[in-house]
């Protein structure tokens, strides 16, 4: 069954396999090793680190005023965003859900949805739901009206807010 030739072939195969792994390891070490002891030749990128105590200046992207974005808002895109709101609000006048109905919300006096029990935070607000007020409320309801019962986390994108308000203005 096992003769000398078979044992020799098996031992030779093992030696060749070990030699291949040894050479592959040596080649990989040569290709991927970043330890260079030559100071004139540096691998990688140099990153400028500010001196201690220096404050790095970060350029803030200029924010486009909401009025400009609202002027070119797309009500069709706002209709898709409305789906998030429809879980708690309705567009039919007088049909309150978890939140008040939003039919005619744009430029409607605040806390004027008939039959809805507003939180004290919104009852303390004066004025109308202008597009600007709606945008500020949608951006961060808890900051706009601290203590509001609305559990929505807010809509960061100014274009999304403008599109949604444009859609609501058509209702």
């Amino acid at each position: 069954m096992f003769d000398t030739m078979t044992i020799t072939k098996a031992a030779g195969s093992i030696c060749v396999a070990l030699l291949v792994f040894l050479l592959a390891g040596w080649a990989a070490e040569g290709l991927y090793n970043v330890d260079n002891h030559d100071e004139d030749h540096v691998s990688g990128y140099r990153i400028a680190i500010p001196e201690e105590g220096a404050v790095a200046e970060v350029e803030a992207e200029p924010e486009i005023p909401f009025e400009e974005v609202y002027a070119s808002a797309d009500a069709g895109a706002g209709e898709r965003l409305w789906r998030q709101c429809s879980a708690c609000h309705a567009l039919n006048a007088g049909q309150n859900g978890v939140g008040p109905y939003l039919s005619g919300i744009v430029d409607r006096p605040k806390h004027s949805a008939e039959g809805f029990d507003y939180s004290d935070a919104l009852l303390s607000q004066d004025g109308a739901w202008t597009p600007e007020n709606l945008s500020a409320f949608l951006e961060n309801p808890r900051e706009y009206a601290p203590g509001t019962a609305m559990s929505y986390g807010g809509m960061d994108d100014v274009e999304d807010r403008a599109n949604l308000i444009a859609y609501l203005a058509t209702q």
Side-chain angles (χ1 to χ4, degrees):
M1 180 164 139
F2 286 110
D3 59 358
T4 309
M5 187 59 125
T6 305
I7 294 173
T8 305
K9 287 180 185 176
S13 298
I14 291 172
C15 289
V16 168
L18 291 175
L19 182 62
V20 167
F21 286 132
L22 180 68
L23 290 174
W26 174 75
E29 182 74 22
L31 286 173
Y32 296 108
N33 187 7
V34 293
D35 267 346
N36 291 323
H37 300 290
D38 181 12
E39 292 187 20
D40 293 334
H41 177 75
V42 178
S43 295
Y45 298 98
R46 291 186 187 263
I47 299 174
I49 300 174
E51 293 181 20
E52 193 173 319
V55 178
E57 293 182 31
V58 177
E59 281 190 39
E61 187 174 307
E63 188 172 323
I64 301 171
F66 174 76
E67 294 79 14
E68 290 180 25
V69 177
Y70 184 65
S72 62
D74 177 17
E79 184 176 9
R80 288 188 296 278
L81 294 166
W82 162 252
R83 291 185 191 125
Q84 299 173 31
C85 307
S86 65
C88 299
H89 298 277
L91 288 176
N92 302 331
Q95 183 184 349
N96 294 315
V98 174
Y101 66 87
L102 298 182
S103 175
I105 186 74
V106 179
D107 293 324
R108 181 174 80 192
K110 293 181 180 177
H111 47 78
S112 64
E114 298 172 16
F116 186 76
D117 186 26
Y118 286 94
S119 66
D120 292 336
L122 283 176
L123 287 172
S124 68
Q125 298 278 324
D126 292 328
W129 285 117
T130 63
E132 293 78 16
N133 286 340
L134 281 168
S135 175
F137 184 69
L138 289 172
E139 182 175 16
N140 190 341
R142 290 182 190 93
E143 186 177 300
Y144 184 84
T148 185
M150 186 164 162
S151 61
Y152 182 64
M155 187 179 290
D156 293 331
D157 188 23
V158 68
E159 290 179 14
D160 285 348
R161 291 193 311 267
N163 292 338
L164 177 60
I165 295 167
Y167 173 70
L168 290 173
T170 65
Q171 302 301 310

